[in-house]
Amino acid sequence: QLQLVESGGGLVQAGGSLRLSCVVSGRAFSASAMGWYRQVRQLDREFVASINWSGETTYYADSVKGRFTISRDNTKNTVFLQMNSLKPEDTAVYYCAADHRITDNTRATAISAWGQGTQVTVSS
């Protein structure tokens, strides 16, 4: 069973950058697709980005394309989300996710493993 721990959230001004990290424990990491989702208050958790097990295939929500980059280091069991040109509407709790396959059509309810979340706040 995988355990996921996020870090890197914080407060940043609009236009700034943050890099989120998610360290995963468990031997299945290198065989898992990884993703990032975000949630604002009581709204549904929404897809942000995902990457397949090898790192060769990535998916992004339209709202973050060209600004966010997902990557992974299988030697360190870590997935990253580099967020540039941040906007106030990017403010949310960001969650790391793991499953067999995660695409831009994967609903949050289908995800089998989650981290605890990290808050990202973008001020205007």
Side-chain angles (χ1 to χ4, degrees):
Q1 187 172 356
L2 297 176
Q3 291 187 323
L4 292 66
V5 179
E6 302 99 332
S7 62
L11 173 64
V12 64
Q13 289 188 331
S17 298
L18 283 174
R19 190 192 197 202
L20 305 184
S21 299
C22 175
V23 178
V24 183
S25 60
R27 290 182 293 175
F29 172 77
S30 60
S32 299
M34 300 297 300
W36 290 93
Y37 286 69
R38 64 188 182 188
Q39 187 171 23
V40 178
R41 291 186 292 276
Q42 303 305 315
L43 298 178
D44 289 342
R45 199 168 292 188
E46 66 173 6
F47 172 84
V48 176
S50 67
I51 188 167
N52 77 328
W53 69 272
S54 67
E56 293 178 348
T57 302
T58 58
Y59 299 90
Y60 294 94
D62 288 342
S63 59
V64 307
K65 281 181 182 176
R67 301 188 298 123
F68 291 10
T69 302
I70 188 170
S71 62
R72 67 189 294 161
D73 184 342
N74 286 351
T75 66
K76 297 181 179 179
N77 277 24
T78 304
V79 62
F80 305 97
L81 185 68
Q82 178 67 44
M83 305 186 294
N84 298 329
S85 302
L86 283 161
K87 305 175 181 180
E89 51 263 43
D90 294 318
T91 295
V93 177
Y94 283 70
Y95 294 89
C96 182
D99 212 305
H100 174 67
R101 185 171 184 263
I102 304 174
T103 74
D104 51 350
N105 291 319
T106 303
R107 294 180 179 271
T109 52
I111 298 295
S112 60
W114 292 102
Q116 82 287 354
T118 184
Q119 177 70 48
V120 171
T121 303
V122 184
S123 63
S124 57

